[in-house]
Amino acid sequence: MITDQATAKQPAYPGNRDTLDFQFIHAADIHLDSPLQGLERYDDAPVDEVRVAPRKAFENLVQLAIDEEVAFVLLAGDLYDGDWKDYRTGIFFVSQMKRLEAAGVSVHLVSGNHDAVSQITKKLSMPGNVTHYSSRKPQTVLLSELDVAIHGQSFAGRSVSEDLSAGYPSGQPGRLDIGLLHTSLDGREGHAPYAPCSAEGLRTKGYDYWALGHVHRREIVSEDPWIVFPGNIQGRHARETGGKGCSLVRVEEGSIVDVTHRDLDVVRWARVHVDLSSVTRVEDSVDAVAEALEGEIEAADGRMLAARLVLEGATSVHDDLRRESDRFIHEYRSLASGFGGAGVWLEKVLFQTRRARDLETELAREDALGDLLRSIAGLEATDDELAALGGASADLAALKKKLPAALVSGDEPIDPMDPAYLQTALPAARDLVLARLLDAEEAP
């Protein structure tokens, strides 16, 4: 299916047609009005600010397109989390598309796994600048004035297991070919394996740019050709940290010369690690937290900061913190509320410190305990060994079945069958065993 938008009634493009110099925006995973589950657990959660953040980030996207006078915007799936609850979500989206239409910007979008069943395009009329690509087969839209072809296919349902890109047509010399695709590529941690494909397979199509969606972390997979996950435009929870936004792509004389990330988020999620190794008075932990938060506030650049605080390190105040954890959680939250600007919300405080010991001295002991400590301290495992352990251990499988659902699927998920998790957990487990052995020796 091929459509030439040059023959359609389109607003005049403000770019330089003579040299084919223009810009376009690639964004994905908007999740408009997505339900932010779990906020009700926190008495001090800024529910209104967090809930409206995806809309404000999308408004920022539209404004960026207008300010940069881009030729078109690519949306690579998951505009919504599912079917929208009422017409307000759809009306908001249409109003933003009309802003782009007035500025002469066309919009090209595919549906992903979250919004494949959305009724928005069936029950609301889209402005003429919006093309929603077919789910039946790949569709090509030609932008003749720019010598650009955009190829895309939407998801037909929530789960797509076949390689959609295999059916896309080959690119043609002398024009800029762009593939618009919602996919897990060859697999990404934390994301379901939808529309799987490979970078090598995408290269065989001869396109200049692959605009991908589905993975919420920005990643430039390749620069020849460009294969890009822009990430989502607004972090939605503590695992989606750092700047979130879109890719602004510059084309000169028909070739892509630059792909730049532009932040769009209005609430910045951060995991703030505070090393308390040098703290000798438990009250001084508040100062250490303040210093760490100040750094994250500066990095958030005027945005509201939603922070998960992680206290760590071998410290002499370990026991005091554990004994008075409620008191210090209150202290840290009070500290956070005192910062000016857009505000700071401590989403959670994790106590991951351990007792301070002269471990080198203990490891040098020439007795049975010293031998045991050295054996434990030297424990390591290769990725292959951990993969074999996680995949074959009946004990670990049984353990996983016994774990509460909140631990297996929560925001700090525990998966003893996952080699990546085991590799992360091994140092902590090793330190814990060492500490327990040494504590047991001191016990009366």
Side-chain angles (χ1 to χ4, degrees):
M1 184 189 310
I2 300 177
T3 304
D4 191 338
Q5 283 199 347
T7 62
K9 186 177 180 180
Q10 292 290 327
Y13 166 61
N16 185 343
R17 296 191 187 91
D18 294 334
T19 60
L20 295 183
D21 293 354
F22 60 92
Q23 296 186 111
F24 66 88
I25 282 176
H26 166 207
D29 303 287
I30 312 300
H31 294 282
L32 283 177
D33 295 345
S34 62
L36 300 173
Q37 300 176 355
L39 286 181
E40 65 279 359
R41 300 197 307 265
Y42 308 103
D43 293 335
D44 62 339
V47 175
D48 292 339
E49 291 90 337
V50 176
R51 198 175 300 281
V52 77
R55 279 200 183 200
K56 289 187 175 181
F58 192 65
E59 289 174 342
N60 289 343
L61 169 66
V62 171
Q63 191 60 52
L64 177 66
I66 294 171
D67 291 344
E68 293 289 345
E69 296 185 329
V70 303
F72 51 87
V73 172
L74 307 175
L75 300 177
D78 285 0
L79 277 171
Y80 321 102
D81 251 15
D83 201 8
W84 36 291
K85 304 302 180 184
D86 56 48
Y87 275 92
R88 286 177 295 181
T89 302
I91 291 171
F92 170 77
F93 178 71
V94 170
S95 70
Q96 297 306 307
M97 294 303 95
K98 288 182 176 179
R99 289 178 61 198
L100 292 177
E101 182 181 40
V105 179
S106 63
V107 179
H108 303 262
L109 66 95
V110 294
S111 296
N113 55 294
H114 277 280
D115 58 355
V117 297
S118 172
Q119 299 296 310
I120 186 170
T121 53
K122 298 177 182 179
K123 295 187 178 181
L124 286 179
S125 297
M126 290 291 110
N129 64 322
V130 178
T131 300
H132 184 203
Y133 285 65
S134 172
S135 62
R136 296 188 300 275
K137 59 182 179 179
Q139 178 182 349
T140 298
V141 173
L142 302 177
L143 306 179
S144 299
E145 292 178 323
L146 302 175
D147 281 348
V148 169
I150 302 173
H151 316 274
Q153 182 175 357
S154 292
F155 277 29
R158 292 187 184 277
S159 179
V160 173
S161 58
E162 67 269 21
D163 178 3
L164 295 181
S165 70
Y168 282 37
S170 297
Q172 294 184 11
R175 75 182 183 192
L176 191 76
D177 282 282
I178 298 173
L180 185 57
L181 179 66
H182 197 78
T183 177
S184 61
L185 203 59
D186 51 2
R188 292 296 184 274
E189 182 181 356
H191 296 278
Y194 295 140
C197 57
S198 68
E200 190 55 42
L202 297 183
R203 289 189 184 97
T204 64
K205 293 297 178 180
Y207 293 3
D208 301 275
Y209 190 96
W210 279 96
L212 306 185
H214 183 51
V215 176
H216 288 193
R217 182 182 295 276
R218 174 174 172 78
E219 180 183 353
I220 296 180
V221 180
S222 168
E223 294 185 8
D224 185 22
W226 289 96
I227 302 175
V228 179
F229 286 109
N232 52 344
I233 67 170
Q234 171 61 59
R236 298 185 300 155
H237 47 69
R239 296 192 303 279
E240 295 183 347
T241 59
K244 298 292 184 178
C246 66
S247 291
L248 179 64
V249 183
R250 189 169 81 248
V251 179
E252 293 181 0
E253 298 182 358
S255 298
I256 294 173
V257 297
D258 189 49
V259 178
T260 304
H261 173 78
R262 300 293 290 270
D263 285 337
L264 300 170
D265 53 332
V266 296
V267 176
R268 179 65 54 81
W269 291 86
R271 190 178 180 97
V272 184
H273 294 266
V274 184
D275 187 354
L276 299 181
S277 299
S278 61
V279 172
T280 56
R281 296 175 61 251
V282 69
E283 291 78 10
D284 293 340
S285 68
V286 179
D287 294 332
V289 168
E291 183 178 353
L293 287 176
E294 286 169 355
E296 292 293 342
I297 292 169
E298 182 177 355
D301 194 23
R303 298 169 178 81
M304 177 184 171
L305 179 67
R308 176 168 293 187
L309 195 62
V310 184
L311 306 178
E312 55 194 12
T315 174
S316 60
V317 301
H318 168 84
D319 290 333
D320 293 331
L321 284 173
R322 292 299 178 121
R323 184 170 53 251
E324 298 185 83
S325 59
D326 288 344
R327 169 198 164 188
F328 283 100
I329 289 174
H330 177 73
E331 293 266 12
Y332 304 144
R333 291 195 185 281
S334 296
L335 168 70
S337 66
F339 286 106
V344 179
W345 172 50
L346 284 190
E347 177 262 353
K348 184 177 289 187
V349 180
L350 300 178
F351 293 90
Q352 296 183 356
T353 58
R354 59 188 187 276
R355 289 188 180 91
R357 292 185 177 276
D358 185 356
L359 186 57
E360 293 302 319
T361 299
E362 299 292 348
L363 291 174
R365 294 169 54 149
E366 296 189 3
D367 58 10
L369 181 57
D371 291 339
L372 180 57
L373 292 175
R374 285 189 290 275
S375 297
I376 295 171
L379 283 177
E380 293 183 358
T382 66
D383 291 342
D384 289 342
E385 289 171 336
L386 287 172
L389 176 64
S393 173
D395 291 337
L396 290 179
L399 171 62
K400 183 175 181 179
K401 290 181 179 180
K402 294 179 180 179
L403 291 174
L407 292 180
V408 175
S409 60
D411 53 14
E412 294 283 340
I414 294 175
D415 185 358
M417 306 295 291
D418 180 8
Y421 172 78
L422 293 175
Q423 192 67 270
T424 302
L426 181 59
R430 183 174 55 210
D431 291 344
L432 177 62
V433 173
L434 288 170
R436 289 288 179 87
L437 285 171
L438 293 169
D439 290 345
E441 186 193 33
E442 288 185 358

